[in-house]
Amino acid sequence: MPDEDRTTPATTPGTATAPLETAQAQLSSAVEILGYDEGLHQMLATPRREMNVAVPLRRDDGSIELFRGYRVQHNISRGPGKGGLRYSAGVDVDEVRALAMWMTWKCAVVDVPYGGAKGGVTIDPADYSTTELERVTRRYTSEIMPIIGPERDIMAPDIGTNEQTMAWVMDTYSVNMGYTVTAVTTGKPLTVGGSLGRATATSRGVVHAAAAALAEAGVRLDEVSAAVQGFGKVGSHAARFLHEAGTKVVAVSDEHGGIQSSDGLDVPALLAHVAEGGHVSDFEGGSPVSNSELLALDVDVLVPAAVEGVLDAETAARVKARWVVEGANGPTTTEGDRVLAERGIVVVPDILANAGGVIVSYFEWVQANQAYWWTEQEIAERLEQRMAASFNAVSTVSRREQITMRDAALIIGVRRVAEAHQIRGLYP
Ligand code: GLU
């Protein structure tokens, strides 16, 4: 799998706070602000349904290897489960539970009619051939067939998976159903029902969120500098769009390390270098910087766009940026959040900042269901409108209640899910 399709861990797995701990602490904080009772808290904290499967692979050399696969549907009160599929050696069920919970709040905060779900397979795609990855994907898909579908649970790419993976999932599901079901995945290639603008939607949304946060302080993107951690599907295009908007992108990194240049990096040249198979760190237009040093650079905007838990109490204390715009899911731990808030650093939280991906996934699903395709401009405009409306709603609650944007986004999302749950009532 080519490098640009991957964003693998920038930290050593196991050293950071567990994502599920962070996700549960965030929910507890929202539940406390909302004054919900313990019964409702438990309903919101507990996944509705989980599938834990063995995924055996026949390798190209004939040997057999076994992976674990998971699909967690955290909540389906507002609509079908929705969320990515992650391929990473360190994936475990608790990480998938956390990511599924974040999807629930994310879909609710930007008001797309979905619940939240996530999948994972314990495989490092860099170590396997394309045909092996295809077999793993098809076997995983057929194992979880009973719980997925365009009205049940819709998959999309995440770390370690891409458009091709979604085409295989869609094909496996369709062959088993006996007809083509394009709406079972999003983030597909255009030729099989993908949407224009989906591949870069998360990154566009991150840049819209950054622009909106800056605008509140009367600052424009072309007046600031930025550092981006992660150069995969989210970070690479976020760096490009920031660069195009006139932001001085002074540092970027991937899992092998990063580069910096106080004059600003030539982002298009860097993208070309990575597209040819190079690592960010061997690009010649800058000096080396580690992933940890990047977080502490003297920049205006920091975009963590790699993995969970990179901003903890210790790293958050070193952040010099005035704005942190979360491209990754769960990059900041609860302690990290507390430190950033105490230091007056504005955090545009993941469930808002990186929601552009699922917004355009929703557009893709709507288009697939109608078999009618929108133009790139329609998609770009509708994405921008939804990001702006969601940002304004979160920002208004944050100012009115004197709470962080994370808490504001969470209480909007959690409340929408709780209301859907309450109005539907408990069966039986
Ligand atoms: N993996 C993406 C996320 O975390 C995609 C979600 C989707 O489009 O379903 O938001």
Side-chain angles (χ1 to χ4, degrees):
M1 187 171 288
D3 238 282
E4 77 264 23
D5 293 327
R6 307 176 54 233
T7 309
T8 42
T11 54
T12 318
T15 55
T17 311
L20 188 56
E21 214 177 296
T22 303
Q24 291 288 8
Q26 291 172 353
L27 172 63
S28 299
S29 168
V31 162
E32 198 183 315
I33 298 171
L34 290 162
Y36 290 165
D37 63 29
E38 193 44 32
L40 186 51
H41 185 175
Q42 283 312 313
M43 282 293 295
L44 297 165
T46 311
R48 288 288 82 87
R49 192 178 287 142
E50 301 183 344
M51 231 179 147
N52 179 328
V53 297
V55 186
L57 164 71
R58 185 174 13 85
R59 296 212 58 176
D60 293 340
D61 67 6
S63 63
I64 305 284
E65 211 172 310
L66 193 87
F67 304 99
R68 302 302 315 175
Y70 311 99
R71 187 72 187 172
V72 175
Q73 293 168 356
H74 169 259
N75 197 284
I76 47 174
S77 295
R78 299 180 66 257
K82 182 81 191 85
L85 170 62
R86 178 170 292 197
Y87 284 180
S88 165
V91 159
D92 63 34
V93 69
D94 276 350
E95 181 183 19
V96 180
R97 286 175 177 144
L99 292 161
M101 185 188 287
W102 284 321
M103 283 309 303
T104 301
W105 317 141
K106 188 188 304 188
C107 292
V109 91
V110 297
D111 207 12
V112 293
Y114 293 137
K118 204 82 176 195
V121 179
T122 57
I123 184 171
D124 181 348
D127 296 340
Y128 296 86
S129 70
T130 303
T131 50
E132 289 171 333
L133 292 172
E134 177 173 355
R135 288 197 290 277
V136 161
T137 303
R138 291 187 183 279
R139 181 61 185 250
Y140 168 75
T141 305
S142 46
E143 292 293 340
I144 63 159
M145 271 283 290
I147 64 163
I148 62 169
E151 271 125 29
R152 291 172 183 266
D153 184 353
I154 305 130
M155 240 180 259
D158 195 81
I159 291 175
T161 60
N162 59 19
E163 293 190 339
Q164 177 62 75
T165 324
M166 292 305 112
W168 291 328
V169 171
M170 187 276 272
D171 182 71
T172 306
Y173 184 86
S174 298
V175 167
N176 279 281
M177 294 301 286
Y179 63 100
T180 298
V181 186
T182 52
V184 66
T185 64
T186 59
K188 295 180 297 294
L190 283 177
T191 41
V192 287
S195 175
L196 292 165
R198 174 60 185 88
T200 54
T202 310
S203 317
R204 279 208 191 277
V206 165
V207 176
H208 290 321
L214 264 58
E216 297 206 315
V219 179
R220 291 190 320 260
L221 283 173
D222 62 359
E223 296 172 315
V224 296
S225 60
V228 181
Q229 186 189 58
F231 211 68
K233 289 185 288 292
V234 180
S236 65
H237 298 294
R240 174 161 70 90
F241 295 139
L242 285 169
H243 176 80
E244 284 170 9
T247 301
K248 190 155 75 165
V249 179
V250 297
V252 302
S253 63
D254 62 16
E255 70 271 30
H256 306 285
I259 49 158
Q260 62 170 326
S261 164
S262 51
D263 298 332
L265 296 163
D266 182 349
V267 178
L270 177 58
L271 278 159
H273 165 81
V274 170
E276 280 159 23
H279 296 318
V280 167
S281 51
D282 24 86
F283 180 65
E284 285 181 354
S287 51
V289 65
S290 72
N291 262 298
S292 151
E293 287 162 351
L294 179 141
L295 298 172
L297 289 179
D298 191 6
V299 290
D300 301 303
V301 180
L302 176 64
V303 181
V307 290
E308 300 97 71
V310 295
L311 289 168
D312 55 17
E314 187 266 319
T315 47
R318 293 191 283 115
V319 169
K320 295 197 186 64
R322 190 169 156 200
W323 293 274
V324 173
V325 185
E326 296 184 333
N329 290 313
T332 310
T333 67
T334 314
E335 281 297 288
D337 253 337
R338 189 182 48 75
V339 171
L340 293 173
E342 275 167 13
R343 299 185 55 222
I345 296 165
V346 176
V347 178
V348 188
D350 47 7
I351 58 171
L352 171 64
N354 73 30
V358 79
I359 291 172
V360 179
S361 277
Y362 167 54
F363 297 163
E364 180 174 335
W365 180 78
V366 167
Q367 293 170 87
N369 283 327
Q370 299 182 337
Y372 181 80
W373 305 97
W374 307 352
T375 65
E376 191 150 22
Q377 194 185 343
E378 280 169 319
I379 287 153
E381 283 170 9
R382 290 176 200 201
L383 168 63
E384 189 167 4
Q385 278 163 12
R386 253 175 204 268
M387 285 302 298
S390 308
F391 184 94
N392 288 338
V394 171
S395 168
T396 303
V397 170
S398 159
R399 270 181 277 116
R400 192 180 63 216
E401 308 291 328
Q402 296 289 301
I403 54 179
T404 61
M405 288 195 63
R406 166 119 41 226
D407 276 334
L410 282 164
I411 67 169
I412 292 173
V414 170
R415 185 191 280 131
R416 283 185 179 151
V417 176
E419 282 175 0
H421 172 63
Q422 283 166 328
I423 199 94
R424 286 177 58 155
L426 192 58
Y427 172 83

